[in-house]
Amino acid sequence: MSRKREITVSKGFFSRFKTIGDAIAAASPGTVIYIEPGVYEENLFINKPLELIGKGRPEDVVISGNTMNEDTTIDVFADHVRISGLTILQKGKSIEKDFYYSAVDLGEGSVLIENCTIISAHGNGIHVMSEGSQPTIQHCKIYNSAGHGIYVQIFGNITVIDCEIYNNQQNGIMFDSGGTGVFENCHIYGNRLANIHISNESDPEIIGCKIYASGEYGVCVSNKALGTFTNCDIYDNRCSNVLIEDEGDPEFTYCNIYNSNEHGVYSYGGWGTFDHCDIYGNRSSNIMIETEAEPTIRNSKIYNSEENGVEVDEEGYGTFENCEIYSNGREYHNVAIFGGGNPVFRDCIIYDSEDCNIWIDDRGLGLFENCEIYDCNSPNIIIENEGNPQIKGCKIYNSTTCGVWVLNNGRGRLANCDIYDTETPIISEEGLLEVLDSSENKITESTTPSKSPNEQAVSADLSAILEELNSLIGLDNVKEQIAKIVEFTKFNKELASFGIAGTDAKSAVSHTVLYGNPGTGKTTVARMLGQIYKAMGLLSSGHLVQVNREKLVGEYIGTTAPKTKKKIEEAIGGVLFIDEAYELTNKGLDRDFGPEAVAVILEEMENRRGEFMVVVAGYEGEMERFTESNPGLKSRFTQYFHLKDYTPDELARIAQKMAKDQNRQLSPEAERLLHKQFTFLWRKRDKFFANARTVRNYIDGMMQAQAQRCMQIPKEQWTKELILTLSPEDVKAVLPQEEAPAYLLPINEEHLAEALQQLNRMVGISRIKAEIEKLITLVRYYREEGRDVSELSPHTLLVGNPGTGKTEIARIIAQIYEALGILERGDLVEVKRENLVSPYPGESERLISEYIDRAMGGTLFIDEAYQLTQYGPQDPGHTVIEVLLKRMEDDRGEFIVLAAGYKEHMEQFLDSNPGLSRRFNRVLEFEDYTPSELLKISELMLSDRGYRLSDGARSVLFGCYEEAYAQRDQSFGNAGYARNMVNEMISNIDYRVAKMPKEQRTQEIRQTIQAEDLNLIFPPAL
């Protein structure tokens, strides 16, 4: 395998390349350019495949652009360019009133930018400027730019993953002139204009992003632009969360749109589709439609606005299908139509309004078809001032005054409707309501039937929910527990007919713990518990508010309690579902506000008992520690569900169902192969086993494989069976492939000799040298015998006191492993705890995975590794170790781990996790340097700097080392101590010579350290 050419750029005196531009000019295509820490004021143009990699933290390696140049900091016009670990800052001037110059301009080519910080003082952070540009940006921060954070135009196509785009002076992200791309799992917030603006026929895809706290709109879609938003949270924006105008037509699926200072969704002359969205808690109307706008809203919930739930005005249109619209502004309405507005509501449920549910005024129109309209303290429907709706096939009931009230020249048509359980069905005052005859309408006065329609609905709803529960695959123990809960509740209600008081309804709502591995259906069970408790009359709405640590815990003092109470308020009447709840208590940091969130939740669980239900979920062990972390948790959570891993049979049935949901079927042989694979995975499962998610990945992969297989067959040979059946070939395409035998790299004898020369130059460490010589001999022998060198277990612990050469030996070992062909590269990726551990959920896992990925083909060196496990069982360092162990197994032979530290601490490190002692069974122990070795090290250091010891000085220095060695402990500095002594000696001789007349300063005097230069030294306390 050919090795990439490497160049290092450094500000150091002896560096060949002191500027990045010079390195780029000298580099051949494919060269890796490493950049040492420093500030590089230059503007770069990249027109060949290259890698620019910062050595150190991004904030330590800064490319700032030349302030004298009116130019972009980095311009890229090439494929296969990688930029990693840098801060890129544009500081030059820009064209007045135009944000032309950017920190990064991507003209064309495939570019990967990762782990970078990007800022433009005068322009855009990143500018993707043409159809030929297809960059990928991941794990970056783009902020504080004077223009847009990211600007994509002219059919540029960008992919952005796990990035933060914030506090930019224009839009966070701007798509224009057909710009497109994918943004996944990003945080886009605090930008002065819109967080995302999509314009002029652009069509990006936004997945799993948080879009919040903009100075204007969260999302703005205009000028015939499209866009797809999936599983996004859009909230807390200063203007409307979503603005659609000028024929914009985006799609929003499974999104939460809430808490804006204006409207949740404002469609002004635009369209748009919203499917399975929750739109709630906005300060003005949740949805505002006007000026011929015509959005479509399906299967969504619209609730808890401060004004109208839905407002249609100025000849706006819109279609609402299968939506729930409820509990909107106290003095407002669930639906308000006026100014010639003409929306359509089909199969919707509109209920629980303090004022009327539907208000139609000022020439408002509208069609209400097969809707349920109920539960309000005013008329369910008011029509006035030339309002003229059509109401067909609706149920209108449970109003405290009347079902429909028509006044002030209101009009309308009522057909095939049921109006009941209201004081007066219809009141018409100076209005004209066309009511069809009794054969089509069932209008009754208030009655008290033996079983009210509401009770009948409750019974029917409960049966339907339980039927849905029982149709789920697996979960037998959960189904049995829920059946007992339902029977117990029914029994308590029946006791009342005998005059016996049953359990208080408030006590019947049991806060619940769900524990199990990923993909076992915890979210589904939480949602169904809410629906069941609602159907039994124990919760008013049964809706689910899903949160995690991020949505509950603030970053600063005083922000956590309001944030947590806000989510509790949203959950009133339903379920507060806290996924991975243990993240609230396992940080172990002084400034961790997770416990404060727990305290607020416990207080509200008591103060608002029966008003909502809390369901917490996570891994079994972590959830046990969570409930034990606060005495109040065990007493509040009285219901526990263990969601067991699916069996291979159940996984196979899930696969059948998933295939059926995609209009596919599995052939018998495909089912057999899948069952065999699921059995294999089930037997080796651990806490990371993903259950149904694993099945989903297999089915998705099989469908892709099927498409590729079918496309290889002439279309005239296609049959319905061919295109609907997933075959054994499709299964085999997604099964892990047995890797072909790795190419056996020959031993690079020249490179090995260079590494051994470095090793043998080191003073002492004779045992280490012997161990490495033994390893080399064994590798040669194993290769001659055709044996696998991985049997030699190259993962190694380096144990010893400071200054004994552990880091230098780690670098040499990495070079030796490369020379022996054990590794592809001799790169050493050096990390400590501070590089790997973060207080934020999921961040530690991402960091260790990122460093392992960087070490692939080389060596990962963890210095002071014991610090990852010394802070208690809930510290995120243990998560780092779990991910590390898993990757050491999954990627066996792909990289090597060296871990270093004090001997006693490293013994505790091994004891902290059984997997560590299995992976690290090679230990290199570094002994303290003897006085003679310290003297030799000192003389080598002095020689490198042009000095030598006199006989008297040598004698005095050896005595110093003997005394220090006799008194040493585990903090003894070894070579570091010797270096300090050398520095002191040189300082003393230079000072002594500086006081001499110049004519007396011979070379011998200037370079020879005397005993008097050491007599001034007082060794540091040991």
Side-chain angles (χ1 to χ4, degrees):
M1 177 181 292
S2 61
R3 184 180 179 190
K4 290 183 178 179
R5 185 186 177 199
E6 296 179 359
I7 292 176
T8 298
V9 178
S10 171
K11 297 285 189 179
F13 181 79
F14 294 104
S15 173
R16 177 182 174 188
F17 295 103
K18 293 185 170 57
T19 73
I20 305 166
D22 288 346
I24 292 173
S28 57
T31 297
V32 180
I33 300 175
Y34 291 101
I35 307 169
E36 294 284 355
V39 178
Y40 299 82
E41 291 192 0
E42 48 186 309
N43 302 86
L44 307 178
F45 181 76
I46 302 174
N47 61 354
K48 65 183 95 171
L50 289 174
E51 296 186 40
L52 298 184
I53 301 176
K55 297 188 74 173
R57 300 174 303 173
E59 56 265 37
D60 297 332
V61 187
V62 181
I63 304 176
S64 69
N66 191 325
T67 56
M68 301 303 293
N69 290 342
E70 297 181 0
D71 207 348
T72 294
T73 302
I74 299 181
D75 245 322
V76 182
F77 279 82
D79 279 320
H80 308 300
V81 173
R82 177 186 173 211
I83 300 172
S84 179
L86 306 174
T87 291
I88 305 168
L89 174 62
Q90 193 270 336
K91 296 198 304 185
K93 300 176 182 178
S94 67
I95 297 174
E96 189 174 355
K97 296 185 179 179
D98 186 3
F99 301 97
Y100 182 81
Y101 295 124
S102 304
V104 180
D105 263 347
L106 304 175
E108 63 178 55
S110 57
V111 182
L112 171 62
I113 302 177
E114 59 183 358
N115 305 310
C116 289
T117 297
I118 299 170
I119 305 168
S120 176
H122 297 285
N124 307 305
I126 296 175
H127 185 192
V128 182
M129 60 177 73
S130 72
E131 186 174 7
S133 183
Q134 298 182 331
T136 297
I137 317 294
Q138 58 188 28
H139 309 310
C140 290
K141 294 182 179 180
I142 302 112
Y143 66 97
N144 284 1
S145 292
H148 310 297
I150 297 177
Y151 185 21
V152 185
Q153 64 175 158
I154 315 176
F155 303 102
N157 186 356
I158 189 171
T159 299
V160 181
I161 302 170
D162 293 324
C163 290
E164 288 187 67
I165 302 118
Y166 62 98
N167 291 0
N168 297 287
Q169 291 302 300
Q170 299 294 306
N171 301 293
I173 304 164
M174 178 70 194
F175 291 93
D176 195 9
S177 303
T180 187
V182 176
F183 282 70
E184 190 166 355
N185 298 326
C186 294
H187 283 238
I188 306 149
Y189 61 94
N191 299 287
R192 192 171 69 85
L193 301 183
N195 279 322
I196 300 177
H197 189 166
I198 307 169
S199 184
N200 292 320
E201 301 184 5
S202 298
D203 187 14
E205 185 175 1
I206 317 294
I207 304 168
C209 292
K210 312 288 186 187
I211 304 163
Y212 57 97
S214 71
E216 290 189 357
Y217 303 102
V219 174
C220 177
V221 184
S222 62
N223 296 322
K224 299 182 180 180
L226 304 172
T228 302
F229 293 77
T230 306
N231 290 318
C232 293
D233 281 3
I234 308 169
Y235 60 97
D236 285 350
N237 294 287
R238 185 176 180 182
C239 298
S240 299
N241 279 321
V242 177
L243 170 66
I244 307 171
E245 60 182 353
D246 300 330
E247 301 182 38
D249 192 14
E251 295 183 10
F252 294 80
T253 306
Y254 292 103
C255 291
N256 294 316
I257 303 169
Y258 60 96
N259 289 1
S260 83
N261 280 333
E262 293 185 1
H263 307 292
V265 175
Y266 181 22
S267 187
Y268 182 86
W271 297 304
T273 300
F274 296 80
D275 197 351
H276 288 93
C277 293
D278 276 20
I279 305 168
Y280 62 92
N282 297 286
R283 185 162 293 177
S284 297
S285 301
N286 276 323
I287 299 179
M288 178 70 180
I289 303 169
E290 61 181 17
T291 315
E292 299 185 355
E294 194 169 358
T296 299
I297 296 91
R298 302 189 188 99
N299 309 306
S300 296
K301 294 182 178 180
I302 303 157
Y303 58 95
N304 285 358
S305 72
E306 293 188 18
E307 294 185 4
N308 299 305
V310 175
E311 183 175 331
V312 185
D313 194 7
E314 295 183 10
E315 299 183 357
Y317 299 93
T319 300
F320 294 77
E321 297 175 345
N322 294 306
C323 292
E324 277 191 72
I325 308 169
Y326 62 93
S327 302
N328 290 287
R330 179 167 295 182
E331 297 180 1
Y332 289 83
H333 320 284
N334 282 321
V335 177
I337 306 169
F338 33 81
N342 191 13
V344 175
F345 293 81
R346 290 193 182 95
D347 301 305
C348 293
I349 302 173
I350 305 169
Y351 64 95
D352 191 25
S353 175
E354 291 289 328
D355 207 306
C356 65
N357 273 311
I358 299 170
W359 181 42
I360 302 168
D361 189 15
D362 185 24
R363 300 175 292 106
L365 303 170
L367 169 63
F368 294 83
E369 192 169 27
N370 299 321
C371 296
E372 284 194 60
I373 305 157
Y374 61 94
D375 285 355
C376 70
N377 293 325
S378 295
N380 271 313
I381 302 173
I382 294 178
I383 307 168
E384 60 179 327
N385 296 322
E386 300 183 19
N388 189 11
Q390 297 185 61
I391 304 167
K392 299 179 181 180
C394 294
K395 294 181 179 179
I396 305 166
Y397 58 94
N398 283 2
S399 164
T400 58
T401 56
C402 69
V404 181
W405 187 16
V406 186
L407 68 161
N408 298 334
N409 296 317
R411 304 168 64 85
R413 185 170 184 268
L414 197 69
N416 197 27
C417 293
D418 290 352
I419 305 177
Y420 55 89
D421 281 357
T422 183
E423 185 175 320
T424 305
I426 298 172
I427 298 175
S428 181
E429 300 176 1
E430 299 181 4
L432 178 60
L433 180 67
E434 182 183 358
V435 183
L436 299 190
D437 61 37
S438 59
S439 65
E440 293 191 16
N441 289 287
K442 297 177 182 177
I443 301 173
T444 62
E445 302 292 335
S446 179
T447 60
T448 308
S450 58
K451 195 167 189 180
S452 73
N454 192 46
E455 289 173 324
Q456 293 172 11
V458 165
S459 177
D461 285 350
L462 182 58
S463 298
I465 295 164
L466 293 176
E467 184 178 346
E468 181 185 352
L469 173 67
N470 290 321
S471 72
L472 297 176
I473 295 168
L475 303 174
D476 292 341
N477 61 318
V478 174
K479 295 170 185 175
E480 184 179 344
Q481 276 183 265
I482 289 176
K484 291 178 180 177
I485 293 167
V486 171
E487 291 302 318
F488 178 73
T489 304
K490 286 181 177 179
F491 174 73
N492 273 282
K493 287 188 174 181
E494 292 297 332
L495 289 178
S497 62
F498 292 90
I500 301 172
T503 302
D504 178 27
K506 288 187 175 182
S507 303
V509 179
S510 300
H511 302 297
T512 300
V513 177
L514 306 178
Y515 55 91
N517 283 340
T520 47
K522 295 187 286 293
T523 304
T524 299
V525 170
R527 182 175 285 108
M528 297 196 79
L529 283 172
Q531 294 170 350
I532 288 167
Y533 279 120
K534 176 184 183 295
M536 294 191 299
L538 302 178
L539 290 173
S540 61
S541 66
H543 67 286
L544 186 83
V545 175
Q546 184 169 350
V547 299
N548 53 19
R549 175 188 169 93
E550 182 181 311
K551 293 183 179 179
L552 298 174
V553 177
E555 297 182 22
Y556 309 104
I557 294 173
T559 59
T560 294
K563 198 171 182 180
T564 303
K565 287 181 179 180
K566 186 176 182 182
K567 287 299 175 185
I568 292 172
E569 196 62 41
E570 290 173 20
I572 294 301
V575 175
L576 180 68
F577 176 54
I578 310 174
D579 198 12
E580 297 180 340
Y582 50 84
E583 293 283 1
L584 294 172
T585 58
N586 72 350
K587 295 298 145 187
L589 303 174
D590 292 337
R591 292 178 59 83
D592 176 28
F593 303 120
E596 181 183 352
V598 172
V600 171
I601 292 166
L602 288 173
E603 181 181 5
E604 294 300 301
M605 286 165 73
E606 180 61 30
N607 294 342
R608 308 191 72 163
R609 194 158 55 97
E611 294 184 38
F612 74 114
M613 176 183 184
V614 180
V615 178
V616 293
Y619 295 113
E620 180 175 358
E622 283 83 345
M623 292 309 296
E624 287 177 358
R625 289 193 288 272
F626 169 72
T627 55
E628 291 169 359
S629 67
N630 186 310
L633 288 169
K634 271 202 167 176
S635 62
R636 300 295 198 289
F637 289 98
T638 56
Q639 188 165 263
Y640 291 77
F641 291 89
H642 180 199
L643 281 72
K644 300 176 182 177
D645 288 331
Y646 290 110
T647 65
D649 287 347
E650 290 166 345
L651 293 170
R653 288 167 57 201
I654 291 170
Q656 292 171 344
K657 182 179 184 304
M658 287 182 177
K660 184 178 179 181
D661 290 343
Q662 298 287 343
N663 296 316
R664 300 291 192 277
Q665 61 184 10
L666 297 167
S667 72
E669 180 62 13
E671 288 184 18
R672 188 191 70 78
L673 286 175
L674 274 179
H675 190 281
K676 180 180 178 182
Q677 177 65 10
F678 293 152
T679 302
F680 169 76
L681 295 173
W682 188 81
R683 284 176 173 162
K684 60 175 291 191
R685 72 193 188 281
D686 56 16
K687 66 181 286 187
F688 298 104
F689 182 55
N691 288 281
R693 295 181 196 170
T694 297
V695 180
R696 167 66 64 194
N697 292 337
Y698 273 83
I699 293 298
D700 288 347
M702 288 167 62
M703 290 186 65
Q704 293 181 18
Q706 184 216 21
Q708 294 170 2
R709 175 171 56 83
C710 289
M711 292 303 292
Q712 302 304 313
I713 300 171
K715 194 167 183 180
E716 57 270 15
Q717 297 180 22
W718 286 14
T719 64
K720 189 172 182 179
E721 182 180 3
L722 174 72
I723 61 178
L724 293 181
T725 304
L726 299 176
S727 71
E729 290 79 7
D730 303 326
V731 179
K732 292 173 183 176
V734 298
L735 292 179
Q737 303 296 311
E738 289 190 12
E739 294 184 7
Y743 173 67
L744 189 62
L745 292 166
I747 295 177
N748 187 330
E749 298 290 354
E750 181 181 354
H751 191 36
L752 179 61
E754 291 174 0
L756 289 175
Q757 186 178 12
Q758 291 181 50
L759 176 66
N760 291 324
R761 283 186 60 202
M762 294 184 68
V763 174
I765 59 168
S766 55
R767 288 171 57 181
I768 306 298
K769 294 174 181 175
E771 282 292 325
I772 292 174
E773 189 278 330
K774 177 181 176 182
L775 173 67
I776 294 170
T777 303
L778 285 172
V779 169
R780 292 185 186 277
Y781 170 68
Y782 275 42
R783 292 171 71 112
E784 290 168 1
E785 296 295 317
R787 292 171 62 178
D788 184 2
V789 294
S790 67
E791 296 176 30
L792 295 173
S793 301
H795 301 302
T796 305
L797 294 184
L798 311 179
V799 300
N801 286 338
T804 48
K806 298 186 292 295
T807 301
E808 191 169 352
I809 287 294
R811 293 169 182 156
I812 292 172
I813 287 174
Q815 296 295 321
I816 289 173
Y817 281 161
E818 179 193 23
L820 291 173
I822 296 175
L823 295 174
E824 296 177 10
R825 303 192 311 274
D827 298 351
L828 187 78
V829 177
E830 302 179 30
V831 294
K832 291 185 175 182
R833 174 187 167 90
E834 64 195 44
N835 305 117
L836 301 175
V837 174
S838 168
Y840 301 108
E843 185 70 4
S844 297
E845 293 93 321
R846 184 188 71 77
L847 289 170
I848 180 61
S849 297
E850 178 183 307
Y851 280 108
I852 291 172
D853 290 342
R854 288 173 59 180
M856 276 296 147
T859 304
L860 180 68
F861 176 55
I862 308 175
D863 199 10
E864 297 176 342
Y866 56 87
Q867 292 186 353
L868 292 170
T869 60
Q870 70 178 10
Y871 294 111
Q874 294 183 337
D875 182 74
H878 292 281
T879 303
V880 171
I881 294 299
E882 289 184 4
V883 174
L884 175 67
L885 291 173
K886 190 171 191 302
R887 291 290 298 272
M888 289 168 76
E889 178 62 27
D890 292 347
D891 298 313
R892 194 153 48 97
E894 298 295 322
F895 75 112
I896 285 171
V897 181
L898 305 178
Y902 296 112
K903 181 178 180 180
E904 294 80 3
H905 291 165
M906 294 305 286
E907 289 172 353
Q908 296 167 8
F909 170 72
L910 289 180
D911 291 341
S912 69
N913 188 309
L916 288 169
S917 56
R918 291 198 300 270
R919 302 298 192 284
F920 292 99
N921 50 22
R922 177 184 296 275
V923 179
L924 297 181
E925 187 170 346
F926 291 71
E927 297 179 341
D928 290 330
Y929 288 113
T930 65
S932 297
E933 291 169 341
L934 290 171
L935 181 61
K936 189 173 183 180
I937 290 169
S938 300
E939 291 187 298
L940 286 172
M941 290 180 179
L942 287 167
S943 176
D944 286 343
R945 296 173 68 174
Y947 295 88
R948 65 181 184 83
L949 293 170
S950 68
D951 291 341
R954 184 178 295 106
S955 176
V956 173
L957 183 59
F958 183 76
C960 290
Y961 286 148
E962 281 188 314
E963 182 179 353
Y965 185 80
Q967 300 177 13
R968 76 191 187 284
D969 58 17
Q970 70 170 11
S971 64
F972 181 55
N974 286 285
Y977 178 66
R979 181 176 291 104
N980 291 338
M981 295 289 283
V982 165
N983 289 337
E984 285 290 328
M985 287 187 284
I986 291 175
S987 175
N988 289 342
I989 185 178
D990 287 349
Y991 178 64
R992 175 171 57 82
V993 172
K995 293 190 296 181
M996 297 173 61
K998 186 174 181 180
E999 59 273 12
Q1000 297 180 18
R1001 300 174 191 168
T1002 66
Q1003 183 172 350
E1004 177 76 12
I1005 290 173
R1006 289 200 309 270
Q1007 295 180 342
T1008 304
I1009 292 173
Q1010 304 294 337
E1012 62 186 288
D1013 299 319
L1014 277 92
N1015 292 334
L1016 298 173
I1017 300 174
F1018 294 92
L1022 302 174

